[in-house]
Amino acid sequence: MAYVNKNFSWALLLILLLFVFSSYARLSIMVTKSEIHTICTKKRESSSLCFEVVKANPEIARLDLSSLAKFFINYQAQNISDTLKHFKLSGGYTPDINSTYHLCVELYEDAFNRRDSSFKYLTAKDYDGLNIMVGGTVSDMVTCTDDLSTMKPIPQFFMTRSIVIENLSHIILTISECFLKEEKSPYCPPYV
């Protein structure tokens, strides 16, 4: 009987240790405050937006870096979708009304359609592919804001929305380049 109790005690201790170590392992892969700070301060232009999004979404503290990238891809897609609806509601989606609005609608649709490919690349850990998708969105938003800036009066709402979406792209690129990719970008801080 003493032999069974001793084995039971060892088994219980082993289970307890496995539980503690698995809990520690889970916690250690969650995004840290330091990582959030690095992500949010990497590109000065997107810093306040990044901290604003993180602060408004407490579930971010429970995510790992890949899930954080997915969160920002979803968040960006929602912003693209909402702004695209505003473009279409403004009446500027018909080519004969305004070619700039028509161009921006096409660019926004292209950017939104990249979401699924971004998820596929992220899941496959193909961060170069992910960066190409996200970089395409940056390019689309820059083209749209360049064209919008030539209008009189300048449509500030659409300019601001396009800049927000561009900044969200930079946040995603920072997560990918500085944390997810095995070979870090030379533009990442050395302590990453």
Side-chain angles (χ1 to χ4, degrees):
M1 186 73 166
Y3 179 75
V4 173
N5 281 340
K6 189 174 186 179
N7 282 342
F8 179 76
S9 297
W10 279 109
L12 186 60
L13 180 61
L14 182 61
I15 291 171
L16 182 62
L17 286 173
L18 286 173
F19 176 77
V20 169
F21 284 120
S22 67
S23 296
Y24 177 77
R26 249 186 327 198
L27 290 175
S28 67
I29 61 171
M30 288 182 196
V31 66
T32 66
K33 287 182 182 181
S34 173
E35 290 166 335
I36 290 288
H37 185 267
T38 300
I39 292 164
C40 288
T41 58
K42 171 80 172 60
K43 186 157 174 58
R44 189 172 29 99
E45 295 82 6
S46 60
S47 184
S48 62
L49 169 67
C50 183
F51 283 119
E52 188 177 302
V53 171
V54 168
K55 191 176 194 179
N57 296 284
E59 72 270 10
I60 285 176
R62 294 185 298 272
L63 301 177
D64 62 13
L65 288 161
S66 183
S67 297
L68 181 64
K70 186 176 181 180
F71 171 88
F72 273 104
I73 292 167
N74 273 326
Y75 189 83
Q76 178 188 52
Q78 186 60 53
N79 276 270
I80 292 169
S81 177
D82 292 346
T83 308
L84 185 56
K85 288 175 190 169
H86 283 287
F87 266 118
K88 290 180 176 181
L89 288 172
S90 72
Y93 61 92
T94 308
D96 55 316
I97 293 178
N98 189 306
S99 63
T100 296
Y101 273 30
H102 180 69
L103 172 66
C104 285
V105 165
E106 287 180 9
L107 294 170
Y108 268 75
E109 287 172 343
D110 288 346
F112 185 78
N113 290 333
R114 284 190 197 96
R115 179 184 70 173
D116 289 340
S117 294
S118 294
F119 285 145
K120 286 177 188 172
Y121 286 123
L122 179 63
T123 301
K125 298 183 180 185
D126 180 350
Y127 303 118
D128 291 328
L130 172 63
N131 292 351
I132 290 169
M133 292 295 109
V134 176
T137 299
V138 170
S139 179
D140 288 347
M141 294 305 110
V142 168
T143 301
C144 182
T145 55
D146 285 350
D147 272 26
L148 289 171
S149 68
T150 65
M151 295 177 70
K152 301 289 185 227
I154 295 174
Q156 284 303 319
F157 173 79
F158 293 118
M159 291 286 290
T160 302
R161 299 305 307 155
S162 297
I163 291 168
V164 164
I165 293 163
E166 179 187 349
N167 286 335
L168 288 167
S169 294
H170 289 297
I171 294 166
I172 297 165
L173 288 170
T174 299
I175 296 168
S176 174
E177 286 290 313
C178 298
F179 294 96
L180 296 176
K181 282 183 81 170
E182 202 167 302
E183 186 176 316
K184 308 297 182 224
S185 166
Y187 302 107
C188 296
Y191 50 85
V192 174

